[in-house]
Amino acid sequence: MAAPLSTMKFWKPGSEAPGISEEREVTTETTLSPIIFNPYTALSIEKQRQKLPVFKHRNNILYLVENYQTVIIVGETGCGKTTQIPQYLLEAGWAAEGKVIGVTQPRRVAAISVANRLAEERGALLGHEVGYTIRFDDCSDPHATRIKFLTDGMLVREMMADPLLKKYSVLMLDEAHERTLYTDIAIGLLKKIQKKRRDLRLIVASATLDAKKFQEFFNLNETGDPNQDTCGILTVEGRTFPVDVFYTVSPVPDYVKATVETVLKIHETEDDGDVLAFLTGQEEVEKVVSMLQEQARALGRYAMKKHLKVLPMYAGLPYVDQMKVFERTPPTVRKVVVATNIAETSITINGIVFVIDCAFVKLRAYNPRTAIESLVVTPISKASASQRAGRAGRNRAGKCFRLYTEEDFEKLPASTVPEMQRTNLAPVILQLKALGIDNVLRFSFLSPPPAQSMVQALELLYALGGLDQYGRLTDPMGFRMAEFPLSPMFAKMLLESGNFGCSKEIVTIAAMMQIQNIFVVPSNQKKPAVGVPCTHHTHLTVTVREQLRRLMNKFKVPRTSSEGDPDVILRCIVSGFFANAARIHHSGSYRTLRDDRELHIHPNSVLFGEKPPKWVVFNEVVQTSKYYMRDVTAVESSWLVELAPHFYKQAKHGSLASKRSRVL
DNA sequence: GAGCACTGC
């Protein structure tokens, strides 16, 4: 059967295409592909540096950093800001007297790859003058490193040991427009530090859209006299190629099918160039891949001059399969990458000329009333749409096919809600308290989270014993919980495990549960035997376990083993996760103890399909077609009352009721 | 019998 002729109709709005000049994106050139360096001579490196768009702003940038506490740099893609600005600062003496220039990145791969690039450019060995620090991997020298790349989460950690970040003279927050949780935490804390350290300089690299918001946030000038502003702003043009944007003529009823049709239309009517399609999740990706592979086989039989190579890409995909999307293809083959949002910021695939955008993304949402976090398919923002379109213009002029009308595009929100406003705040509050922010309600959040989320977080932390009745961090429990790189519930469970006599087992359990996608296998493959994660994950688990073990030793939690007694371990789990408890309902589903919400056992759980236990605790809830509990453990109701008497009370008829815990 | 966006310490 030949491929059906595509019925997709697109329209290019206006006489002038909304080219890349309005559709600029700002991102690090992060890539998972092998890093290949050119054997530059010293002279050509200098010439290369001077050709970057940021170079002609060099003196202006140095002037602004000299004269303003904070400088907002609107640096468009390909302008060279990430590698060049730290070097300008170094050359101007900002790393003298042992001071360090720090550059944060939201993601680890970005921190590593940018540090690598810069070390290579300077002909230096990574870890000396130029280094990086991420969790589990500190490739920097406390004396020699002058330019340090680190994740923004790591910067927040460093504040615990050095609250004023004294070793840094300048900090550059890269990709600040992404508004990740840790970027936002760092931003609020840095504003506070700046009031105590007038010498500390801050550079915030952002997209056009948010520049004004950042400037207003960091400007400490209250006189109204612009001469006394403490925050400057500068735009550096980028170097990308124009992308023509096309919209559908009418709304698309099924974007999965529409994606398949659009790929085929591109394949039939467009010249060379690879395709990147954005979808929301693994299931959709695999569906489109299999539909396209079928079409590709049909096309192959009809000897189309160009072949289609269709590849899936999502975080849960095994590493070897992920690597395939970076492989070069011969000119007779057109590569089609069908991806989740992972391809929007986290990875960059070379050679993409055509982008297909379904307008949706799966996002984490937090319900502050029920304290349930869930994953919800949501329309993307305009900023996200430009970011996706920009993926077509990295190597040459490209095209972006939006599977929605221009009117619908106009209805999209300008930018995505910052993570701070759609997450469980308990870990954030715990961190802030540990950093000496007593009144978290008055903390200067760039985007304040909902008050109800704050209340939920404070109540949970109080119930866990991390806060006292006045909302102060408890000593030692609260301080210790904050030091664990885990959620407060996990931290509590670990810290209690010595008392329960099962710390060895609990450390292993906690470490394993931090590794995501352990048993994730694409639906068209066989499932591995339960409890047998692959070698890669085993390795990661060992690393996490070592870090946890070190903290356990630091806090002198005795190393004990339950010696095969399961109840001890289950009771210990309850001591951390009692707030996430549910009881069986006569319908066969579960109801939360907190507010009688309907929940189901996740199909991936070992308890799924078994005789359902009466009482369970769980790690988290994912909302897909239903609310599913993940990481479910069968417990006894008496343990809940015994281990969390401040949270539950024994009600009449042997049932349980939750108390409202109060924090002043 | 139905399912796992993406980061980070």
Side-chain angles (χ1 to χ4, degrees):
Chain A
M1 192 184 80
L5 267 181
S6 171
T7 53
M8 295 302 297
K9 285 199 176 65
F10 287 95
W11 176 64
K12 184 177 158 187
S15 51
E16 281 290 316
I20 201 70
S21 53
E22 295 100 50
E23 296 282 333
R24 290 277 162 95
E25 43 142 9
V26 181
T27 182
T28 319
E29 288 119 52
T30 310
T31 168
L32 285 181
S33 57
I35 301 158
I36 299 160
F37 297 105
N38 291 322
Y40 296 135
T41 64
L43 186 66
S44 73
I45 287 173
E46 210 40 53
K47 280 186 181 160
Q48 293 275 341
R49 288 188 63 190
Q50 290 173 10
K51 270 198 260 173
L52 287 165
V54 71
F55 179 72
K56 58 175 179 286
H57 301 275
R58 185 183 186 276
N59 290 343
N60 197 7
I61 290 167
L62 289 173
Y63 170 84
L64 289 169
V65 173
E66 192 70 43
N67 290 286
Y68 293 89
Q69 262 192 295
T70 306
V71 181
I72 313 296
I73 305 253
V74 180
E76 293 163 347
T77 301
C79 75
K81 64 179 178 342
T82 311
T83 56
Q84 300 309 299
I85 293 176
Q87 293 189 82
Y88 302 160
L89 295 166
L90 182 75
E91 289 153 8
W94 283 94
E97 292 160 20
K99 292 285 186 191
V100 177
I101 297 156
V103 185
T104 70
Q105 296 289 329
R107 283 167 292 278
R108 296 195 216 168
V109 272
I112 298 173
S113 72
V114 174
N116 256 299
R117 274 214 323 258
L118 185 49
E120 185 77 10
E121 185 175 314
R122 298 187 64 79
L125 193 63
L126 190 64
H128 290 258
E129 185 192 48
V130 179
Y132 68 88
T133 305
I134 60 171
R135 186 184 180 186
F136 304 130
D137 190 3
D138 183 5
C139 184
S140 70
D141 183 306
H143 305 291
T145 300
R146 302 273 71 86
I147 297 174
K148 190 166 98 165
F149 292 88
L150 68 169
T151 50
D152 38 27
M154 204 62 220
L155 183 72
V156 174
R157 281 282 147 180
E158 286 192 1
M159 291 184 202
M160 287 178 110
D162 180 9
L164 291 178
L165 295 171
K166 289 205 192 79
K167 70 176 171 202
Y168 295 101
S169 57
V170 188
L171 277 163
M172 175 164 153
L173 298 180
D174 209 358
E175 315 291 357
H177 60 278
E178 284 188 27
R179 304 295 307 277
T180 66
L181 189 61
Y182 279 105
T183 306
D184 270 23
I185 296 173
I187 282 171
L189 290 164
L190 283 164
K191 183 175 178 176
K192 199 174 161 77
I193 292 174
Q194 276 190 323
K195 289 174 186 163
K196 293 183 182 160
R197 269 195 64 191
R198 296 280 167 177
D199 60 318
L200 178 67
R201 292 295 185 268
L202 211 55
I203 296 171
V204 180
S206 157
T208 322
L209 195 67
D210 325 80
K212 203 92 212 121
K213 187 178 174 73
F214 282 119
Q215 192 189 22
E216 282 162 15
F217 180 82
F218 279 109
N219 197 2
L220 305 174
N221 172 23
E222 287 168 356
T223 64
D225 172 10
N227 289 322
Q228 294 188 43
D229 280 354
T230 67
C231 184
I233 193 162
L234 176 77
T235 300
V236 181
E237 71 285 6
R239 216 163 46 184
T240 49
F241 299 90
V243 176
D244 281 351
V245 175
F246 299 84
Y247 295 93
T248 57
V249 176
S250 54
V252 163
D254 178 347
Y255 64 71
V256 172
K257 278 186 193 157
T259 301
V260 174
E261 288 182 25
T262 306
V263 170
L264 295 174
K265 191 187 175 83
I266 290 169
H267 193 51
E268 285 165 21
T269 60
E270 298 284 350
D271 291 338
D272 285 5
D274 295 339
V275 183
L276 171 63
F278 286 97
L279 290 160
T280 71
Q282 174 181 335
E283 195 182 346
E284 285 173 6
V285 167
E286 294 292 348
K287 191 169 173 188
V288 167
V289 166
S290 67
M291 284 166 84
L292 279 172
Q293 274 166 350
E294 205 173 293
Q295 293 295 334
R297 274 194 294 274
L299 290 173
R301 281 201 292 278
Y302 283 85
M304 289 276 290
K305 53 177 183 270
K306 219 169 160 63
H307 294 279
L308 273 184
K309 186 179 185 187
V310 189
L311 298 163
M313 181 71 202
Y314 47 87
L317 199 66
Y319 182 76
V320 282
D321 295 326
Q322 288 193 351
M323 286 304 114
K324 287 179 187 159
V325 308
F326 301 110
E327 286 170 11
R328 283 179 178 277
T329 49
T332 52
V333 175
R334 190 196 299 274
K335 185 161 73 180
V336 179
V337 178
V338 187
T340 61
N341 223 35
I342 193 171
E344 193 179 302
T345 49
S346 302
I347 60 155
T348 296
I349 304 160
N350 282 324
I352 298 297
V353 178
F354 306 102
V355 161
I356 302 168
D357 171 17
C358 74
F360 288 95
V361 66
K362 216 176 265 186
L363 277 186
R364 197 209 326 258
Y366 179 74
N367 183 333
R369 198 178 52 77
T370 58
I372 286 178
E373 266 183 327
S374 48
L375 289 173
V376 185
V377 174
T378 320
I380 59 170
S381 63
K382 290 199 181 86
S384 203
S386 341
Q387 179 78 11
R388 289 179 175 190
R391 291 313 206 186
R394 301 301 295 256
N395 303 95
R396 59 181 163 102
K399 290 181 180 177
C400 174
F401 297 92
R402 292 181 170 163
L403 302 179
Y404 41 100
T405 63
E406 195 181 16
E407 288 136 286
D408 284 338
F409 170 78
E410 290 303 332
K411 288 179 204 153
L412 296 176
S415 49
T416 312
V417 175
E419 199 181 350
M420 184 69 81
Q421 294 181 326
R422 49 184 173 85
T423 192
N424 170 11
L425 286 177
V428 178
I429 303 286
L430 191 64
Q431 293 272 299
L432 291 180
K433 294 267 183 188
L435 289 164
I437 313 295
D438 299 319
N439 192 341
V440 286
L441 297 169
R442 281 186 53 206
F443 181 69
S444 41
F445 290 101
L446 182 58
S447 299
Q452 182 83 52
S453 296
M454 291 271 210
V455 173
Q456 284 280 9
L458 290 167
E459 285 185 357
L460 176 67
L461 292 170
Y462 173 72
L464 288 168
L467 297 181
D468 66 17
Q469 57 177 318
Y470 305 106
R472 293 175 308 208
L473 210 59
T474 54
D475 195 358
M477 181 54 84
F479 282 95
R480 289 178 179 178
M481 280 168 67
E483 273 207 52
F484 275 94
L486 307 170
S487 79
M489 289 181 180
F490 275 105
K492 177 68 188 298
M493 175 180 81
L494 282 159
L495 288 164
E496 289 290 345
S497 64
N499 300 335
F500 284 95
C502 55
S503 61
K504 284 185 182 174
E505 289 85 357
I506 287 291
V507 166
T508 302
I509 290 169
M512 280 195 66
M513 289 178 72
Q514 304 313 308
I515 314 299
Q516 287 162 6
N517 304 317
I518 293 185
F519 303 115
V520 171
V521 173
S523 51
N524 53 0
Q525 291 176 29
K526 272 191 184 167
K527 281 197 173 191
V530 172
V532 189
C534 68
T535 338
H536 178 65
H537 286 119
T538 309
H539 177 73
L540 265 172
T541 308
V542 169
T543 320
V544 176
R545 192 167 61 195
E546 276 319 300
Q547 192 190 18
L548 299 182
R549 191 158 281 160
R550 272 202 301 277
L551 282 163
M552 299 287 271
N553 290 341
K554 180 178 173 184
F555 301 135
K556 301 198 167 48
V557 177
R559 286 186 73 169
T560 49
S561 168
S562 63
E563 308 292 351
D565 177 1
D567 277 11
V568 181
I569 295 171
L570 299 180
R571 285 160 56 87
C572 183
I573 293 173
V574 170
S575 74
F577 289 87
F578 57 83
N580 289 348
R583 80 188 128 203
I584 191 94
H585 188 256
H586 58 77
S587 63
S589 62
Y590 284 81
R591 293 287 191 277
T592 56
L593 289 195
R594 255 190 211 176
D595 54 0
D596 217 36
R597 272 243 165 197
E598 182 174 348
L599 295 176
H600 300 262
I601 289 184
H602 195 283
N604 267 5
S605 169
V606 290
L607 291 175
F608 187 79
E610 302 289 316
K611 183 176 177 294
K614 260 177 110 170
W615 302 85
V616 293
V617 295
F618 54 90
N619 175 25
E620 60 176 355
V621 173
V622 288
Q623 179 195 2
T624 48
S625 57
K626 292 172 183 167
Y627 283 94
Y628 287 104
M629 299 177 275
R630 279 212 291 215
D631 309 317
V632 188
T633 304
V635 299
E636 303 283 340
S637 65
S638 59
W639 299 345
L640 292 167
V641 187
E642 178 197 339
L643 298 168
H646 42 293
F647 206 75
Y648 296 111
K649 59 173 185 273
Q650 194 78 45
K652 286 173 199 163
H653 318 300
S655 63
L656 274 188
S658 64
K659 293 178 187 172
R660 296 280 292 172
S661 44
R662 292 249 168 258
V663 183
L664 292 177

